[in-house]
């Protein structure tokens, strides 16, 4: 059974039960009230009937006068003499004769109490009152006044109809109200249920528009928030999925290229006709490509750790100039080989960062500068600016045109793929730089002019 039907039935049953109970109670209450009023009335009436009958003369008009009194009062009257024998009975009905002899116990009670007795037994349809007479002109000694309870209950017939009509009208209204009310309560619940079903089916584009300030309104808002969250999570998941696919495609491509070159070199080396110089050349090619794959895996491991390891960087205080000097020492032979001068500028400056990772950043930037500079110099500079140490790597190389600058730090992005691969690049160097600096809450900046040179810089907090 639906919630709407359950609610409607609950209201209907409760209200029908309530209305019926109130109506029945009202009828019983009114019946009891009428009966007690009837008893009071019969006592009063019996008193004046007794006075009237006491004064009747026992002549030929006695019966007629008695009849008139009975008619006027609306009661049945029975009169008994001193011995308790029925003396007169009006109005006379063959089918409803009064007892011929008054009960002696009853008569004794009259004599003892001199009172009026009202008989009202639940199983008897009659209400009876007795009175002791002190007759002046006749032999009447006891008066018995009788009335049918039905006559007392007569007004209730009309009242009962009023109550029943009211009851049916109320039940009709209750049906109408409960159906409308349950519909208004369950409608938003049905809307919520539909929205939840759509969300579970993956449709998170719709939002519920319930302008309510009650619990249902709160639930609708939570559901909307849930759908929004799911929607953005879905978009993010799709984006990550595409990124991951692209990443795997790039890796495959990056490994396949050097492997091909190595396979080619090995093939050539199998030939007996090669002289020593040619043999040396192919061995060197294979070695370079092996180093490239090695670098690729090293960069991948760094990026993977950046993505997943909370402990990716271990900060400490160190002199950034010392790291610059190490890099210069390591890469100077490479620069000199190309006829480039490697210049260090700036003063000693202690920063709070991970020294190994900053060394990797500088190594990547300086290696790139050497790779993409044909003549001139590469300057590595550090200077203090406010609370930060600004480190920059500047070259006089080929430069980078503006359209590449936005995507320069993306994984596997190169301005010139063929040239980068020729130079043994993995396409991951700058994204490693970016990731390491982001882990330090820092950023890498670049400015460059094609044919003039490039400048990469970043800042690190000076140690306290
Ligand atoms: P790669 O391994 O190819 O050097 P990077 O991520 O380090 O990969 O660099 C991405 C690309 O950015 C390079 O392929 C190159 O085109 C460009 N690039 C990086 N540094 C420089 C530089 N100093 N001068 C000119 N171009 C650069």
């Amino acid at each position: 059974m639906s919630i709407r039907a359950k609610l409607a039935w609950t209201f209907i049953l409760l209200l029908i039960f309530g209305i019926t109970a109130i109506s029945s109670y009202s009828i019983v209450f009114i019946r009891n009230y009428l009966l007690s009023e009837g008893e009071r009335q019969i006592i009063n009436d019996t008193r004046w009937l007794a006075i009237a009958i006491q004064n009747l003369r026992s002549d030929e008009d006695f019966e007629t006068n008695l009849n008139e009194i009975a008619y006027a009062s609306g009661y049945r009257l029975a009169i008994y003499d001193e011995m308790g024998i029925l003396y007169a009975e009006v109005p006379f009905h063959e089918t409803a004769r009064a007892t011929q002899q008054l009960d002696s116990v009853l008569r004794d009670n009259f004599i003892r109490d001199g009172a009026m007795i009202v008989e009202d037994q639940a199983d008897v349809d009659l209400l009876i009152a007795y009175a002791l007479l002190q007759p002046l002109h006749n032999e009447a000694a006891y008066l018995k006044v009788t009335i049918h309870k039905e006559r007392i209950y007569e007004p209730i017939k009309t009242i009962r109809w009023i109550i029943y009509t009211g009851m049916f009208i109320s039940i009709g209204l209750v049906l109408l109200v409960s159906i409308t009310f349950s519909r208004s309560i369950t409608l938003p619940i049905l809307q919520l249920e539909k929205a939840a079903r759509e969300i579970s089916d993956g449709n998170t584009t719709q939002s519920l528009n319930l302008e309510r300030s009650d619990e249902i309104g709160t639930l609708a808002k939570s559901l909307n928030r849930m759908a929004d969250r799911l929607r953005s999570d879905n978009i993010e998941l799709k984006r990550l999925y595409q990124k991951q696919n692209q990443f795997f495609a790039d890796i495959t491509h990056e490994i396949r290229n050097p492997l091909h070159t190595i396979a080619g070199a090995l093939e050539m080396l199998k030939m007996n006709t090669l002289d020593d110089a040619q043999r040396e050349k192919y061995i060197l090619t294979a070695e370079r490509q092996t180093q490239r794959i090695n670098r690729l895996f090293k960069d991948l491991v760094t990026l993977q750790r950046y993505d997943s390891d909370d402990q990716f960087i271990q900060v400490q205080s160190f002199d950034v100039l010392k790291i610059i000097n190490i890099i210069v020492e390591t890469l100077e032979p490479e620069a000199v080989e190309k006829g480039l001068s490697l210049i260090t500028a700036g003063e000693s400056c202690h920063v709070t960062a991970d020294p190994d990772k900053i060394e990797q950043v500088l190594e990547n930037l300086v290696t790139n500068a050497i790779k993409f500079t044909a003549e001139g110099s590469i300057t590595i500079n550090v200077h203090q600016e406010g609370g930060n140490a600004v480190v920059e790597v500047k070259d006089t190389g080929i430069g980078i045109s503006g359209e590449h600058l936005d995507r320069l730090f993306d994984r596997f992005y190169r301005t010139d793929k063929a040239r980068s691969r020729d130079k043994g690049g993995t396409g991951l160097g700058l994204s490693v730089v970016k990731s390491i600096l982001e882990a330090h809450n820092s950023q890498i900046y670049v400015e460059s002019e094609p044919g003039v040179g490039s400048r990469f810089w970043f800042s690190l907090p000076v140690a306290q």
Side-chain angles (χ1 to χ4, degrees):
M1 199 190 268
S2 67
I3 292 182
R4 180 186 291 186
K6 274 184 197 160
L7 270 173
W9 275 113
T10 313
F11 287 136
I12 291 166
L13 290 178
L14 274 176
L15 287 163
I16 289 179
F17 179 73
I19 290 168
T20 317
I22 290 170
S23 310
S24 312
Y25 175 76
S26 309
I27 290 170
V28 171
F29 180 82
I30 293 168
R31 264 173 82 98
N32 288 342
Y33 174 77
L34 288 174
L35 192 62
S36 67
E37 275 298 293
E39 280 178 8
R40 213 172 49 82
Q41 188 67 40
I42 202 170
I43 290 168
N44 279 343
D45 291 349
T46 305
R47 257 188 219 122
W48 70 256
L49 282 168
I51 293 165
I53 290 164
Q54 277 169 184
N55 288 312
L56 286 181
R57 289 185 182 281
S58 125
D59 52 18
E60 66 274 11
D61 292 331
F62 180 79
E63 194 104 5
T64 318
N65 291 336
L66 198 63
N67 240 324
E68 276 172 6
I69 291 173
Y71 180 74
S73 67
Y75 294 104
R76 274 175 65 75
L77 306 174
I79 291 166
Y80 295 86
D81 63 13
E82 203 69 44
M83 302 307 294
I85 310 284
L86 184 65
Y87 176 69
E89 186 184 11
V90 286
F92 183 78
H93 283 306
E94 192 60 56
T95 47
R97 296 294 310 271
T99 44
Q100 294 298 308
Q101 172 78 53
L102 256 194
D103 188 40
S104 59
V105 181
L106 198 69
R107 279 166 58 213
D108 288 350
N109 278 348
F110 274 118
I111 293 155
R112 199 174 55 243
D113 301 338
M116 205 157 48
I117 294 172
V118 173
E119 264 182 38
D120 174 20
Q121 292 155 2
D123 51 342
V124 181
D125 290 343
L126 300 171
L127 195 60
I128 305 165
Y130 294 95
L132 194 61
L133 302 173
Q134 269 106 40
L136 301 171
H137 311 290
N138 56 50
E139 282 89 49
Y142 302 101
L143 169 64
K144 181 184 179 185
V145 179
T146 315
I147 190 167
H148 252 278
K149 282 183 185 170
E150 272 312 302
R151 284 198 48 205
I152 292 173
Y153 292 144
E154 230 153 52
I156 214 169
K157 283 183 186 158
T158 324
I159 294 172
R160 189 182 283 146
W161 276 116
I162 293 171
I163 288 175
Y164 284 159
T165 315
M167 201 172 101
F168 283 117
I169 292 174
S170 312
I171 289 173
L173 282 175
V174 161
L175 277 173
L176 206 73
V177 169
S178 59
I179 288 170
T180 321
F181 186 56
S182 62
R183 183 179 291 237
S184 80
I185 283 192
T186 53
L187 193 70
I189 296 179
L190 289 179
Q191 283 175 295
L192 285 174
E193 189 270 336
K194 188 170 165 258
R197 196 154 19 91
E198 286 197 358
I199 292 172
S200 72
D201 288 348
N203 180 6
T204 52
T205 49
Q206 285 176 7
S207 74
L208 260 176
N209 206 6
L210 288 182
E211 288 301 324
R212 296 172 68 119
S213 52
D214 55 7
E215 291 83 349
I216 288 177
T218 317
L219 192 59
K221 277 185 198 135
S222 304
L223 217 59
N224 280 342
R225 269 204 301 279
M226 196 172 96
D228 283 349
R229 184 67 192 269
L230 270 174
R231 199 180 310 137
S232 58
D233 282 359
N234 271 349
I235 294 170
E236 179 64 10
L237 264 178
K238 269 186 200 151
R239 199 185 63 80
L240 286 176
Y241 182 70
Q242 278 169 358
K243 210 172 150 187
Q244 196 191 32
N245 273 353
Q246 182 60 45
F247 193 58
F248 278 116
D250 288 340
I251 291 175
T252 318
H253 190 70
E254 289 305 321
I255 294 172
R256 200 185 292 134
N257 266 341
L259 281 180
H260 270 155
T261 316
I262 293 169
L266 290 175
E267 201 61 38
M268 294 304 284
L269 283 169
K270 276 201 262 174
M271 289 168 62
N272 296 327
T273 49
L274 289 183
D275 58 29
D276 280 354
Q278 282 172 319
R279 195 171 288 274
E280 183 69 19
K281 190 184 106 188
Y282 288 122
I283 289 174
L284 207 68
T285 308
E287 254 176 18
R288 274 213 196 97
Q289 296 306 321
T290 321
Q291 280 164 6
R292 196 175 137 196
I293 295 175
N294 214 12
R295 262 199 313 278
L296 181 75
F297 280 117
K298 194 180 146 210
D299 285 350
L300 281 175
V301 169
T302 309
L303 290 172
Q304 193 271 334
R305 277 196 60 204
Y306 167 73
D307 286 342
S308 59
D309 190 356
D310 292 342
Q311 309 287 309
F312 177 56
I313 57 161
Q314 305 287 331
V315 295
Q316 53 178 277
S317 169
F318 65 93
D319 187 355
V320 73
L321 190 64
K322 271 191 186 159
I323 302 288
I324 294 173
N325 288 334
I326 292 171
I327 293 294
V328 170
E329 216 173 283
T330 319
L331 298 177
E332 200 153 35
E334 215 176 301
V336 170
E337 198 179 316
K338 279 187 82 178
L340 302 170
S341 50
L342 215 51
I343 306 161
T344 318
E347 73 266 23
S348 157
C349 185
H350 277 81
V351 294
T352 308
D354 184 326
D356 290 342
K357 299 290 183 303
I358 296 304
E359 188 179 329
Q360 197 174 346
V361 166
L362 282 167
E363 189 187 328
N364 288 4
L365 291 177
V366 178
T367 311
N368 275 349
I370 297 171
K371 258 193 301 191
F372 298 103
T373 304
E375 56 183 29
S377 63
I378 290 134
T379 315
I380 309 161
N381 177 28
V382 56
H383 66 273
Q384 212 167 310
E385 231 177 72
N388 287 325
V390 179
V391 185
E392 71 171 18
V393 177
K394 204 170 144 190
D395 64 54
T396 54
I398 58 167
I400 306 157
S401 65
E403 81 251 26
H404 299 294
L405 293 181
D406 277 353
R407 301 194 52 204
L408 201 65
F409 301 95
D410 287 357
R411 294 176 187 186
F412 295 113
Y413 187 80
R414 293 159 164 125
T415 56
D416 181 338
K417 290 195 188 334
R419 193 203 298 242
S420 161
R421 286 199 191 101
D422 283 353
K423 292 178 186 295
T426 61
L428 289 174
L430 287 182
S431 49
V432 167
V433 166
K434 185 179 175 228
S435 300
I436 290 175
L437 290 172
E438 273 176 358
H440 282 85
N441 293 323
S442 184
Q443 275 189 57
I444 176 80
Y445 301 94
V446 58
E447 62 181 18
S448 183
E449 202 179 321
V452 178
S454 310
R455 182 169 86 97
F456 288 85
W457 77 97
F458 59 91
S459 57
L460 293 170
V462 170
Q464 298 299 317

